[in-house]
Amino acid sequence: IGFPEGVDAGAARTVENYDDLRAFTGADGTVFVVEGRTANGDGGAGLFVWDALETATDDDIDYHLEPEAGENS
């Protein structure tokens, strides 16, 4: 998998589900391995990259909104 410049795939963090992903606040470019939408193995697993400048709406598929700051991953 190719990642955009500035993305450190070697520092990937694993989270259990989309709610755990939304709870993250931190460094731009962080890669996440998500184990499932609500539980490990439920078909919602994937790789996500934190992008503090993203302005898309949370669609519960590709974009996951951080509730407090309004930033997407």
Side-chain angles (χ1 to χ4, degrees):
I1 296 174
F3 289 97
E5 185 176 329
V7 173
D8 182 6
R13 297 177 60 155
T14 300
V15 294
E16 185 175 334
N17 55 48
Y18 291 178
D19 286 339
D20 290 347
L21 178 63
R22 288 182 181 101
F24 174 77
T25 305
D28 198 33
T30 301
V31 175
F32 288 89
V33 177
V34 181
E35 296 177 338
R37 176 168 294 197
T38 58
N40 189 339
D42 67 5
L47 294 174
F48 296 86
V49 178
W50 182 259
D51 182 351
L53 300 177
E54 181 60 65
T55 59
T57 302
D58 187 335
D59 63 3
D60 202 42
I61 299 170
D62 295 318
Y63 298 96
H64 301 281
L65 185 68
E66 176 195 351
E68 298 287 322
E71 297 175 347
N72 293 336
S73 57

